[in-house]
Amino acid sequence: MLRALLASGRPLLTRFRAASIPHSHPHHVVPTMTQLTPFLARGMKVRSSVKRMCDGCAVVRRKGRIYIICSKNPKHKQVRSSDLVR
């Protein structure tokens, strides 16, 4: 996991949840290592027009939304909400 953190181009502080960063007050308890574990889930791109980006991308319809799920590159995940289309 440490290798994945260091290999990533994103700054390390943006990967921690805001609640897990200790405050400067001395009376606060120091968080444990499990509380400092990074939150590594990537979200989806929310767009009004979704399209396949590579051969691994698949179009999926669920709950009135159109999703693009990619087995080759997780950065290709997209969602088209029915709220965006009017």
Side-chain angles (χ1 to χ4, degrees):
M1 182 195 282
L2 182 60
R3 188 177 303 159
L5 283 172
L6 295 176
S8 172
R10 296 175 65 196
L12 292 177
L13 287 178
T14 60
R15 291 174 168 247
F16 291 107
R17 293 183 182 191
S20 68
I21 298 174
H23 299 286
S24 61
H25 301 293
H27 64 273
H28 284 285
V29 178
V30 177
T32 62
M33 197 59 189
T34 57
Q35 292 173 337
L36 287 177
T37 54
F39 183 67
L40 296 176
R42 292 187 185 266
M44 290 189 156
K45 295 177 180 75
V46 179
R47 296 183 169 167
S48 59
S49 174
V50 295
K51 50 191 155 188
R52 295 180 181 159
M53 295 183 174
C54 70
D55 294 335
C57 295
V59 178
V60 180
R61 294 187 62 127
R62 293 182 192 151
K63 299 179 183 176
R65 294 188 174 117
I66 299 174
Y67 294 92
I68 302 292
I69 309 294
C70 187
S71 60
K72 292 184 178 180
N73 191 346
K75 290 183 179 181
H76 291 174
K77 291 190 298 187
Q78 305 167 58
V79 62
R80 177 182 176 188
S81 176
S82 60
D83 297 337
L84 294 174
V85 180
R86 294 200 183 228

